[in-house]
Amino acid sequence: MRVSLISAERSVFEGEADSVVAPAYDGLVGILPRHAAFMTLLGKGIVRISGSGGDKRVQVAGGFLQVARDVVRIVAGSATPADS
Amino acid sequence: MAKPRELRRRIRSVQNTRKITKTMELVSTSKLKRAQDRVVGARPYAQALAEVIEELYAPELAERFPLLRQPGKTARGPGVRRAALLLITSNRGLCGAFNSNLIREARRRLEEMEAQDTRTELHLVGKKGVSYFKFTKRTIASQRVDIGDKPTLEHAVELATPLMERFAKGGLDAVDIVFAKFNSAVSTPPTTLRVLPVTPPAQRRSGGRASKAAVNYILQPSAEEILRELLPLSVTNQFYRALVETAAAEHGARRTAMKNATDAGSDMLTILQRTFNRARQAQITQELAEIVGGAEALKG
């Protein structure tokens, strides 16, 4: 599935992934391919995007996550790369 | 005819000035590139926010969001009674008519609003705007000159939050931003954008309903809660984009201004150099004539 992680200043990640774990406002959510259309608010925490090339971890705060037609879009109020 | 020595001095001075303007042009070009990247980088975020707000927005929800409050509906009199205008200018000059264009647009907007009996307060970003409105002795509600040419999201938050709070409480009926829209490096028209109240998406496009039906989202929490979070983000983002676009436009304007100055300097040099050569030749001819004349006289 396609994943894009966008912050107000730039596009942080764009590409294919096998799974995404994101901090929603009330706890972690995991997204696998073919997830139902879904939208939630983000809290503070680390987004983990796992794909064939390994994991990518990004610290986010605020914003939202949207899944539609196998496309995951994470729009973060702020995003900084986190050390893995 | 001017003396060769004077001409040589002028040539040197024009050459030095041209060296400076040429360098400033190069500096602006590289800064413009980076500023332009920031403008482009900010686009997907704004687009994503706008799309989602459009998908979630329903006219029934509008009354529950203070940021969507339209003037005239809740205010006692019709229309906007108190408004704020945020003018973004640059801190530095030497960029042609860039700042004066922005100031002119702001003044036009102020006059327009005052003609409609709107009490308008003025918020300023950038030294050029501040010094102009200080000179005209207009009351300035707030001013800041520390943003420079690399605006960050925090700057936008600091500018937007107090205005949003006052708007939500009813202290303001409208907020406008005057900034330089960055169409391209050479097209940066001063633009007025009404950021508050937020224009409901339904007014912009009638197709909002159709796209909403296409994807049936599981929403967590409710659409209302999500909108409550996203509307302020979207407003802040508009402030951020205004800052970023103005910064990029400033470099574009400076590059153009400096290029014109360099070209004008080159033209001037050509003429000066030609005049100098002619003056030098005339002097040599005259000296020769004097020597020949002297020798003739000695022969007797």
Side-chain angles (χ1 to χ4, degrees):
Chain A
M1 61 184 173
R2 271 211 89 63
V3 179
S4 58
L5 172 52
I6 307 165
S7 80
E9 274 140 350
R10 67 207 170 86
S11 176
V12 181
F13 177 86
E14 185 84 56
E16 291 292 319
D18 301 326
S19 83
V20 174
V21 178
Y25 72 109
D26 60 349
L28 290 176
V29 287
I31 312 281
L32 293 170
R34 296 170 54 79
H35 194 284
F38 176 63
M39 197 182 297
T40 189
L41 286 173
L42 291 180
K44 270 188 194 165
I46 288 173
V47 171
R48 202 178 77 217
I49 302 167
S50 314
S52 45
D55 281 12
K56 185 170 174 69
R57 296 152 73 90
V58 182
Q59 174 82 38
V60 298
F64 66 93
L65 177 144
Q66 181 193 27
V67 192
R69 299 184 199 93
D70 233 22
V71 176
V72 183
R73 188 152 70 173
I74 306 163
V75 176
S78 76
T80 43
D83 305 321
S84 45
Chain B
M1 193 174 277
K3 287 191 194 91
R5 196 191 309 150
E6 261 167 46
L7 282 168
R8 202 176 298 148
R9 219 182 51 212
R10 281 199 64 194
I11 288 174
R12 209 167 297 142
S13 122
V14 173
Q15 269 171 344
N16 285 342
T17 313
R18 194 180 59 164
K19 222 175 270 173
I20 294 169
T21 57
K22 181 84 192 161
T23 314
M24 285 181 77
E25 184 192 331
L26 294 177
V27 169
S28 292
T29 308
S30 76
K31 280 190 178 168
L32 170 68
K33 180 74 188 62
R34 247 170 293 156
Q36 215 168 349
D37 289 346
R38 268 198 294 274
V39 172
V40 174
R43 251 171 224 162
Y45 179 82
Q47 204 191 343
L49 265 182
E51 272 175 38
V52 168
I53 288 176
E54 190 179 338
E55 270 170 23
L56 294 177
Y57 178 79
E60 315 81 271
L61 293 174
E63 274 121 60
R64 277 182 261 174
F65 295 108
L67 291 183
L68 286 164
R69 180 173 57 88
Q70 298 295 320
K73 280 183 187 165
T74 47
R76 273 163 287 163
V80 182
R81 286 172 46 241
R82 285 147 308 172
L85 184 85
L86 175 72
L87 168 65
I88 304 173
T89 52
S90 71
N91 277 340
R92 294 181 198 185
L94 287 182
C95 44
F98 177 73
N99 286 310
S100 34
N101 284 343
L102 283 168
I103 290 168
R104 190 178 326 124
E105 170 71 15
R107 283 187 50 198
R108 192 192 60 76
R109 187 72 185 160
L110 284 173
E111 275 165 25
E112 195 179 291
M113 291 207 278
E114 259 140 36
Q116 293 167 0
D117 274 341
T118 308
R119 283 239 309 280
T120 311
E121 56 184 56
L122 191 61
H123 298 262
L124 298 169
V125 171
K127 265 183 202 154
K128 292 292 156 184
V130 172
S131 60
Y132 175 81
F133 281 102
K134 273 222 177 104
F135 175 70
T136 60
K137 303 224 162 42
R138 206 195 140 88
T139 343
I140 299 168
S142 83
Q143 60 178 66
R144 55 185 305 173
V145 294
D146 57 333
I147 290 185
D149 59 355
K150 280 199 193 79
T152 63
L153 194 60
E154 282 84 66
H155 290 134
V157 172
E158 282 162 27
L159 286 170
T161 314
L163 290 173
M164 270 196 288
E165 269 169 14
R166 286 178 52 206
F167 182 86
K169 283 187 192 133
L172 289 169
D173 298 323
V175 177
D176 287 353
I177 306 183
V178 174
F179 70 106
K181 193 167 166 52
F182 187 80
N183 291 336
S184 72
V186 284
S187 160
T188 56
T191 311
T192 309
L193 180 71
R194 174 144 291 186
V195 284
L196 286 170
V198 176
T199 317
Q203 281 179 12
R204 285 198 293 253
R205 281 218 326 240
S206 50
R209 283 265 159 205
S211 63
K212 194 176 184 178
V215 182
N216 232 328
Y217 288 100
I218 303 167
L219 295 168
Q220 246 178 14
S222 63
E224 194 185 331
E225 286 293 320
I226 296 183
L227 268 185
R228 194 185 303 286
E229 285 289 319
L230 296 191
L231 280 174
L233 281 186
S234 154
V235 173
T236 310
N237 183 248
Q238 281 181 315
F239 278 79
Y240 175 69
R241 283 189 52 198
L243 287 173
V244 175
E245 291 202 16
T246 308
E250 179 198 342
H251 292 307
R254 178 164 302 120
R255 194 186 69 174
T256 316
M258 287 302 116
K259 185 167 167 22
N260 290 342
T262 311
D263 291 351
S266 303
D267 290 351
M268 206 186 283
L269 266 185
T270 326
I271 294 168
L272 281 176
Q273 190 70 52
R274 210 163 282 159
T275 325
F276 169 73
N277 287 348
R278 207 166 292 155
R280 187 180 58 106
Q281 191 58 54
Q283 199 186 13
I284 293 169
T285 313
Q286 201 191 337
E287 274 168 18
L288 272 178
E290 276 163 14
I291 292 167
V292 171
E296 289 290 314
L298 278 181
K299 265 185 211 161

